[in-house]
């Protein structure tokens, strides 16, 4: 564990010296792949928590990681809208496993008996970002319209433009903060792994709707780069866990009201 902690310090120091990093920069992508490989080290839950307890820069690392993805996705969206990228789905996946993760997510919903293709069921995806891959894939796999909600004004503008160019204006985009939205129109709310303030978001969903919740929670050392929420925290708002499954570097947890 000492070696992992030392590597985390080294990589964090490199991260802090990068001016406006984006994943399209080869040196940044190499750094990011190295970091992700380290975070994928097989560890027990006790070992993971012991390592996290020794990382005083966890909050800053989470913020820097979120900004890295935000700026990288914005750059891809801008390149697609300007015509520099012709096929948005060909080579713009930062995580090559994401298509499989999204398909597994929809399969999990089906295995839990959730059918969103009937009775005009609606799904909200909180924190979708500037690229619509997740939004489109969830809509395709579930057979339900998926509304993307994001608090960043530029993200909403770029995503709307991308969906228009893709002729997918049937997929709505709303600008809003997750802990202030009214979720009464939705049957399921998907909370992305990089959403901050997950506890406040769950509380708001509970206050405004009867919707089920699907939270993508970071697994293992990925908790250093994405904010986790425990099953106990969600259950404290009156939910019960329907099921959970590991998908890539995250754990999908599905809850319904008791």
């Amino acid at each position: 564990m000492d070696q992992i902690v030392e590597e985390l310090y080294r990589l964090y120091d490199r991260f802090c010296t990068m001016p406006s990093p984006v994943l399209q920069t080869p040196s940044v992508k190499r750094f990011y792949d190295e970091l992700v490989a380290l975070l994928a080290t097989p560890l027990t839950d006790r070992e993971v928590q012991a390592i996290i307890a020794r990382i005083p820069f966890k909050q800053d690392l989470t913020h820097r990681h979120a900004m890295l993805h935000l700026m990288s996705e914005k750059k891809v969206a801008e390149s697609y809208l300007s015509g520099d990228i012709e096929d948005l789905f060909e080579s713009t996946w930062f995580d090559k496993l994401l298509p499989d993760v999204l398909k597994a997510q929809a399969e999990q919903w089906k295995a839990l008996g959730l059918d969103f293709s009937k009775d005009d069921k609606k799904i909200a995806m909180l924190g979708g970002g500037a690229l619509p891959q997740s939004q489109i894939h969830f809509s395709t796999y579930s057979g339900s319209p998926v509304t993307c909600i994001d608090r960043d004004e530029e993200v909403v503008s770029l995503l709307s433009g991308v969906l228009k160019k893709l002729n997918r204006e049937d997929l709505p985009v709303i600008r809003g903060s997750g802990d202030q939205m009214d979720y009464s129109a939705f049957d399921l709310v998907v909370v992305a792994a990089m959403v901050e303030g997950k506890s406040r978001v769950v509380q708001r969903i509970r206050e405004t709707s009867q919707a089920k919740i699907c939270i993508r929670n970071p697994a293992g050392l990925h908790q250093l780069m994405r904010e986790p929420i425990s099953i106990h925290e969600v259950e404290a708002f009156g939910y019960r866990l329907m099921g959970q499954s590991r998908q890539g570097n995250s754990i999908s947890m599905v809850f319904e009201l008791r």
Side-chain angles (χ1 to χ4, degrees):
M1 286 197 298
D2 289 343
Q3 184 176 356
I4 293 175
V5 172
E6 290 176 5
E7 282 296 293
L8 285 168
Y9 268 84
R10 180 181 67 82
L11 290 170
Y12 175 67
D13 286 342
R14 283 177 59 190
F15 207 171
C16 291
T17 61
M18 293 179 180
S20 303
V22 290
L23 288 167
Q24 291 86 345
T25 305
S27 61
V28 176
K29 186 62 167 63
R30 287 193 297 271
F31 153 79
Y32 186 72
D33 289 344
E34 186 177 352
L35 176 59
V36 169
L38 179 63
L39 298 179
T41 303
L43 297 166
T44 66
D45 289 342
R46 179 174 294 182
E47 289 171 332
V48 168
Q49 294 308 316
I51 290 172
I52 290 175
R54 295 172 61 183
I55 304 300
F57 48 82
K58 177 184 180 302
Q59 185 174 358
D60 188 56
L61 179 59
T62 298
H63 175 71
R64 288 179 182 274
H65 176 251
M67 292 304 297
L68 172 63
H69 269 264
L70 175 66
M71 299 309 296
S72 300
E73 288 189 358
K74 284 182 177 180
K75 185 171 182 179
V76 171
E78 290 168 350
S79 297
Y80 176 69
L81 291 173
S82 67
D84 292 335
I85 295 176
E86 293 185 2
D87 189 339
L88 187 64
F89 296 91
E90 180 64 29
S91 60
T92 60
W93 297 99
F94 300 132
D95 181 350
K96 299 300 183 183
L97 298 177
L98 188 55
D100 293 333
V101 169
L102 297 176
K103 184 177 180 180
Q105 178 73 86
E107 289 174 347
Q108 180 199 28
W109 297 342
K110 184 176 180 180
L112 292 173
L114 306 182
D115 185 355
F116 298 104
S117 64
K118 300 178 180 178
D119 303 322
D120 196 29
K121 299 292 186 180
K122 295 182 179 180
I123 298 174
M125 188 176 70
L126 184 60
L131 302 177
Q133 286 103 325
S134 296
Q135 189 178 13
I136 290 174
H137 276 65
F138 281 151
S139 180
T140 299
Y141 294 136
S142 69
S144 170
V146 177
T147 298
C148 182
I149 302 170
D150 203 286
R151 65 185 181 185
D152 187 294
E153 182 176 5
E154 186 179 6
V155 162
V156 170
S157 177
L158 287 169
L159 180 56
S160 298
V162 169
L163 288 170
K164 182 177 182 179
K165 186 172 181 177
L166 289 168
N167 295 316
R168 291 306 309 263
E169 292 178 277
D170 57 307
L171 298 178
V173 183
I174 298 175
R175 184 189 178 196
S177 179
D179 58 0
Q180 298 176 19
M181 287 294 301
D182 180 348
Y183 295 95
S184 58
F186 301 105
D187 301 280
L188 174 71
V189 180
V190 181
V191 181
M194 276 192 281
V195 167
E196 298 176 356
K198 290 184 176 67
S199 182
R200 297 192 304 275
V201 168
V202 171
Q203 180 179 4
R204 183 62 177 172
I205 297 170
R206 179 67 182 90
E207 291 172 347
T208 62
S209 78
Q210 300 293 307
K212 294 178 175 61
I213 306 176
C214 177
I215 301 175
R216 287 154 69 176
N217 218 29
L221 284 177
H222 283 273
Q223 295 174 63
L224 286 168
M225 296 204 300
R226 300 173 175 89
E227 177 189 303
I229 185 171
S230 70
I231 293 174
H232 175 73
E233 287 178 89
V234 180
E235 290 179 335
F237 290 106
Y239 293 91
R240 77 169 187 90
L241 179 68
M242 296 181 67
Q244 62 178 325
S245 63
R246 176 75 178 258
Q247 298 164 2
N249 55 28
S250 65
I251 298 172
S252 172
M253 307 188 302
V254 180
F255 297 87
E256 67 177 356
L257 287 170
R258 294 196 193 99

